[in-house]
Amino acid sequence: MKTIEEINQHNVKKILSEKKIPDFFPGDVVKVGVRITEGKKERIQYFEGVCISKKSRDLNSSFTVRKISFGEGVERTFPLYGTVIDTIKVIRSGKVRRAKLYYLRDRTGKSARIAEKIRKKIGIDIDVKPETVTEENLAPVIETKKEEAPKAEIKTEKKLENISEKK
């Protein structure tokens, strides 16, 4: 018999194979596309704000997004693997030192800002194939003349003499 955890992990893998969920953390500005059904019509409404918390519990994972709308703070909790969510897009990465940013509820204006984390991309993208080196791809070798170097030194010496004379 399978345990509940095994069943949940299997369902998470199945959902991840169908749709791509980016790596995001609390402090990141996230744009969430939410499916809304109005009668028989279905549309996508975007909710953009700061992710203030993230709960990782296999299939029960969720995250909370907070935004200021018309001067009023609005928070919304989304299921990470729910059918309600269409897309998740990370707009900015925030530099924070906490897992839950509930202190942002009390703050407004400049004190509620989060510094942006600059992520360095290290490594080679798997999608990009490295270009093979051939004779056609090589840049031509440019020969430098040895006479050019002494001329540059003479010019700099003259400039230094002019500067010392002006003083």
Side-chain angles (χ1 to χ4, degrees):
M1 279 184 93
K2 290 185 177 180
T3 61
I4 294 172
E5 290 87 20
E6 290 174 350
I7 295 168
N8 285 345
Q9 288 174 355
H10 175 72
N11 288 337
V12 167
K13 288 179 185 175
K14 189 171 140 185
I15 291 168
L16 285 174
S17 66
E18 294 172 6
K19 67 178 180 179
K20 186 178 180 283
I21 297 173
D23 233 11
F24 66 96
F25 303 97
D28 295 353
V29 176
V30 178
K31 189 173 187 178
V32 183
V34 185
R35 285 195 189 104
I36 292 179
T37 52
E38 295 171 336
K40 295 177 183 176
K41 293 183 180 180
E42 190 174 279
R43 66 183 179 92
I44 297 170
Q45 185 178 46
Y46 291 98
F47 191 88
E48 184 177 340
V50 179
C51 176
I52 61 169
S53 70
K54 191 173 178 185
K55 184 176 88 171
S56 299
R57 306 271 191 283
D58 286 336
L59 198 61
N60 300 324
S61 298
S62 65
F63 61 100
T64 305
V65 179
R66 179 181 175 80
K67 74 172 183 177
I68 307 291
S69 180
F70 299 102
E72 195 70 30
V74 180
E75 287 182 13
R76 194 160 174 196
T77 305
F78 299 102
L80 189 61
Y81 302 111
T83 56
V84 176
I85 292 180
D86 184 56
T87 57
I88 300 172
K89 187 177 180 185
V90 179
I91 307 294
R92 285 178 51 207
S93 296
K95 187 176 181 182
V96 293
R97 297 172 72 177
R98 294 171 183 239
K100 306 286 191 244
L101 306 177
Y102 297 136
Y103 67 89
L104 291 176
R105 293 174 176 166
D106 301 331
R107 299 188 179 189
T108 57
K110 287 187 177 181
S111 64
R113 288 185 300 180
I114 295 174
E116 187 170 1
K117 183 196 297 180
I118 298 165
R119 292 189 177 169
K120 295 180 181 176
K121 211 171 189 181
I122 301 171
I124 302 168
D125 289 338
I126 297 169
D127 298 340
V128 180
K129 293 181 182 177
E131 191 175 313
T132 56
V133 178
T134 60
E135 289 182 25
E136 299 165 0
N137 294 346
L138 288 175
V141 178
I142 301 170
E143 294 180 20
T144 57
K145 296 180 181 178
K146 293 182 181 178
E147 296 174 9
E148 293 178 11
K151 289 180 183 177
E153 291 176 8
I154 293 168
K155 289 179 183 177
T156 54
E157 288 175 9
K158 288 181 180 177
K159 287 181 184 177
L160 291 173
E161 289 174 8
N162 291 340
I163 293 170
S164 60
E165 288 175 7
K166 289 179 183 177
K167 290 182 181 179

